């Protein structure tokens, strides 16, 4: 059987055609926001840019950035380009503090979101024959609905379980014969624990063989563990509320980078400090310009997410849309301890390589006197004695020093001792210095 696509012509279109779509969409978007969104009109006028000045994709560089605070200060509808009676649905970011950032959609936006999601799901192996369990919340969070709209288009059997009630989730999997599951990454670990308590072996007793996950950073090492527990293939789906929700991109069966839907977004990578555009393979902050959205188009939206674009424009799967490396962290996640900068993903990679270690960890940064101090609490995979725990902690501390350059304090605790998250994203870093 050949490669399956949801929209073959669009997913495999020659780059030249793709770029023509991008230029047309860019011109239209700049024209729309200039005419309809006072915030952008002012910004463009201040920079002396008129929509007629956009003649090539290179002109993108001249456009102003949009940042999260612009969305907050224009909350709720200040950046909308359509009247409220054309907004068909509203979603909000999952953050628990501050003004939420919104996702606004016209009916056409919803339809296109469904298409992008369907492309991602088919890319992750979904067919009409799948029983698809959606474990992210179906509510203000974009996760649940995104998967729902996509799966509807593919025609799979949907189990819209939504978040939480883990025992019940597992029962649904068994009763309905779930074959594919969507989740926030850390929730698959929670399911695995509860399944073990219930005496359910996910690999043997369920039919779940495909997973599609995102919404938080995860390392390949963590992915490997999840695949083993479930005996499944795991796909990485990327997205954010401001752009549409999940479905901005997805990795294909080759599992080498996330294809970004370039007929809907123009992607750039910039140096987060200077705002300068970076080249392929250079790591920096992802910036997206929407080129099809009606309700809330965005120019050069700074995501704070860190990654790099692949140089190569060809992929064995036949898709021509550019790939990015999996998300490596967020600009704001970078932690500075005793003058050394690092990302939590570096810690996760080291921990998950150790077979004696479980999947839960918590990084706490405090001050001891005037110095920074980092404590990493990590669960052992199996019950562990005091001496053994100390030995393992010393080993981990040594391994971590190799990547962090300083020596963190490591405390190994027993399985199940660290707090769990049932609904929403895991919190793995606590900075007590601020
Ligand atoms: O988390 C949308 C989503 C739902 C994506 C379900 C995938 C699956 P927000 O709550 O607005 O939207 O959070 C967006 O989550 O800027 C990234 O920092 C992070 N993120 C999303 N997908 C991934 C991923 C949803 N695959 C923020 N890998 C983004 C790493 C991800 N981080």
């Amino acid at each position: 059987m050949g490669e399956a696509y949801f929209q073959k012509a669009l997913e495999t279109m020659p780059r030249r055609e793709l770029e023509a779509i991008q230029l047309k969409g860019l011109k239209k978007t700049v024209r729309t926001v200039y005419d309809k969104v006072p915030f952008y009109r002012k910004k463009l006028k201040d920079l002396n840019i008129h929509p007629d000045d956009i003649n090539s994709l290179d002109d993108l560089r001249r456009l102003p950035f949009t940042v999260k605070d612009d969305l907050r200060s224009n909350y709720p509808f200040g950046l909308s380009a359509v009247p409220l009676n054309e907004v068909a649905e509203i979603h909000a970011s999952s953050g628990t503090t501050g003004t939420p950032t919104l996702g606004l959609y016209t009916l056409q936006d919803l339809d296109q979101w469904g298409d992008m999601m369907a492309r991602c799901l088919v890319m992750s192996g979904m067919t009409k024959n799948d029983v698809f369990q959606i474990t992210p919340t179906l509510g203000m969070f974009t996760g649940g609905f995104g998967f729902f709209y996509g799966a509807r288009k593919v025609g799979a059997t949907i189990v819209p379980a939504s978040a939480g009630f883990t025992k019940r989730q597992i029962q649904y999997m068994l009763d309905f014969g779930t074959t594919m599951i969507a989740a926030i990454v850390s929730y698959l670990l929670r399911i695995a624990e509860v399944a073990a308590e219930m005496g359910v072996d996910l690999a043997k007793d369920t039919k779940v063989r495909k997973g599609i996950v995102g919404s938080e950073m995860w390392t390949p090492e963590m992915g490997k563990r999840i695949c083993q527990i479930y005996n499944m293939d795991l796909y990485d789906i990327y997205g954010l509320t401001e752009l549409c929700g999940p479905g901005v991109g997805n990795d294909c069966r080759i599992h080498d980078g996330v294809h970004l839907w370039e007929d809907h977004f123009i992607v750039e990578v910039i140096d987060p400090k200077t705002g300068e555009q970076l080249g392929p393979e250079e790591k920096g902050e992802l910036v997206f310009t929407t080129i099809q959205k009606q309700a809330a188009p965005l120019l050069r939206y700074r995501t704070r997410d860190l990654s790099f674009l692949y140089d190569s424009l060809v992929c064995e799967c036949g898709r021509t849309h550019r790939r990015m490396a999996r998300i490596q962290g967020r600009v704001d996640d970078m932690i500075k301890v005793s003058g050394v900068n690092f990302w939590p993903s570096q810690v996760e990679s080291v921990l998950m390589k150790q077979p004696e270690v479980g999947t839960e960890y918590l990084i706490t940064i405090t001050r001891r006197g005037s110095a920074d101090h980092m404590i990493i609490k990590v669960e052992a995979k199996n019950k562990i004695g005091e001496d053994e725990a100390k030995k393992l902690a010393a080993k981990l501390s040594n391994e971590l020093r190799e990547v962090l350059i300083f020596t963190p304090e490591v405390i190994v605790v027993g399985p199940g001792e660290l707090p769990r998250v049932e609904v929403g994203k895991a919190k793995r870093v606590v900075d007590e210095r601020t």
Side-chain angles (χ1 to χ4, degrees):
M1 206 182 71
E3 183 82 28
Y5 307 97
F6 179 68
Q7 291 175 317
K8 185 172 182 196
L10 290 171
E11 291 173 54
T12 61
M13 77 169 31
R15 294 291 306 177
R16 269 216 307 188
E17 283 176 37
L18 200 48
E19 281 166 18
I21 290 183
Q22 289 193 321
L23 181 57
K24 197 170 154 211
L26 179 64
K27 284 179 171 186
K28 193 168 168 209
T29 300
V30 175
R31 163 63 67 193
T32 303
V33 296
Y34 188 86
D35 289 345
K36 303 274 169 66
V37 186
F39 164 85
Y40 276 125
R41 189 184 180 88
K42 179 170 183 319
K43 274 204 159 192
L44 291 167
K45 278 197 158 170
D46 286 351
L47 289 168
N48 217 1
I49 301 168
H50 188 271
D52 292 341
D53 299 338
I54 306 299
N55 296 310
S56 77
L57 287 176
D58 276 344
D59 289 328
L60 186 69
R61 287 168 198 255
R62 301 176 49 203
L63 298 176
F65 288 119
T66 311
V67 296
K68 209 181 249 290
D69 273 346
D70 294 328
L71 269 63
R72 294 212 168 105
S73 49
N74 286 285
Y75 177 87
F77 304 126
L79 291 188
S80 180
V82 299
L84 187 57
N85 66 5
E86 278 183 42
V87 174
E89 203 166 302
I90 300 173
H91 283 277
S93 66
S94 45
T96 45
T97 52
T99 311
T101 42
L102 300 184
L104 305 178
Y105 311 75
T106 62
L107 280 177
Q108 181 182 300
D109 292 335
L110 285 176
D111 190 47
Q112 291 185 342
W113 184 25
D115 284 344
M116 284 188 277
M117 281 303 302
R119 289 183 197 175
C120 294
L121 289 167
V122 172
M123 203 194 297
S124 307
M126 180 182 271
T127 70
K128 199 182 157 348
N129 299 327
D130 275 301
V131 178
F132 180 52
Q133 191 158 328
I134 300 175
T135 71
T137 308
L138 280 118
M140 293 308 281
F141 180 48
T142 52
F145 273 96
F147 287 113
F148 185 89
Y149 290 139
R152 249 288 153 80
K153 291 205 180 222
V154 182
T157 304
I158 300 173
V159 182
S162 200
F165 303 105
T166 308
K167 273 192 180 157
R168 203 150 72 194
Q169 299 268 7
I170 295 164
Q171 201 58 52
Y172 290 149
M173 281 182 203
L174 296 168
D175 294 349
F176 306 149
T178 301
T179 56
M180 182 167 183
I181 187 168
I184 294 180
V185 188
S186 48
Y187 192 58
L188 287 185
L189 300 171
R190 178 70 192 139
I191 291 179
E193 275 180 349
V194 177
E197 281 163 30
M198 290 165 71
V200 172
D201 181 337
L202 290 162
K204 293 206 182 102
D205 303 335
T206 76
K207 293 183 181 155
V208 183
R209 292 301 160 265
K210 288 169 278 194
I212 180 164
V213 296
S215 200
E216 57 188 17
M217 187 280 304
W218 56 293
T219 57
E221 290 79 12
M222 178 70 89
K224 232 182 253 166
R225 289 198 171 207
I226 294 174
C227 291
Q228 269 167 9
I229 297 171
Y230 288 75
N231 181 25
M232 73 176 171
D233 200 3
L234 201 58
Y235 289 82
D236 188 8
I237 184 162
Y238 172 72
L240 51 156
T241 311
E242 301 88 311
L243 295 182
C244 65
V248 173
N250 203 86
D251 73 337
C252 62
R253 67 178 163 77
I254 315 291
H255 296 304
D256 183 12
V258 171
H259 288 278
L260 297 166
W261 299 128
E262 290 185 279
D263 54 337
H264 289 270
F265 306 103
I266 302 179
V267 57
E268 301 167 80
V269 174
I270 61 161
D271 177 331
K273 287 207 184 88
T274 63
E276 282 302 305
Q277 232 179 35
L278 298 175
E281 312 285 333
E282 287 184 298
K283 183 168 149 182
E285 180 180 349
L286 288 164
V287 172
F288 289 91
T289 299
T290 69
I291 48 174
Q292 308 251 8
K293 280 202 82 171
Q294 293 181 324
L298 289 173
L299 299 185
R300 305 190 82 194
Y301 183 65
R302 293 184 61 160
T303 60
R304 315 300 283 157
D305 290 329
L306 294 164
S307 180
F308 60 86
L309 297 174
Y310 282 29
D311 201 10
S312 163
L313 291 167
V314 281
C315 180
E316 251 179 76
C317 76
R319 292 176 181 85
T320 49
H321 296 241
R322 199 182 265 279
R323 282 171 292 163
M324 68 165 184
R326 69 169 57 230
I327 302 294
Q328 331 232 303
R330 294 176 57 79
V331 177
D332 324 288
D333 283 351
M334 195 175 74
I335 311 173
K336 199 168 189 172
V337 173
S338 307
V340 179
N341 288 323
F342 69 96
W343 271 275
S345 56
Q346 292 173 282
V347 172
E348 182 177 299
S349 290
V350 172
L351 296 178
M352 292 305 120
K353 276 190 192 129
Q354 309 297 322
E356 308 97 310
V357 163
T359 43
E360 294 300 319
Y361 63 92
L362 183 67
I363 303 171
T364 308
I365 302 128
T366 57
R367 270 195 211 286
R368 289 249 168 106
S370 60
D372 291 336
H373 184 69
M374 184 160 117
I375 305 166
I376 300 174
K377 281 193 179 170
V378 58
E379 286 184 3
K381 194 171 205 170
N382 302 310
K383 266 197 158 168
I384 189 167
E386 214 174 294
D387 283 353
E388 253 182 305
K390 280 200 179 131
K391 253 192 225 154
L392 179 56
K395 181 175 153 202
L396 291 171
S397 189
N398 256 334
E399 305 260 341
L400 285 159
R401 196 185 45 198
E402 297 289 314
V403 291
L404 300 176
I405 319 178
F406 63 90
T407 312
E409 180 182 349
V410 177
I411 301 173
V412 175
V413 299
E417 287 188 26
L418 292 176
R420 304 293 197 262
V421 169
E422 277 273 318
V423 176
K425 307 190 189 207
K427 184 146 182 58
R428 301 204 191 275
V429 180
V430 177
D431 195 337
E432 292 177 345
R433 297 171 302 181
T434 45

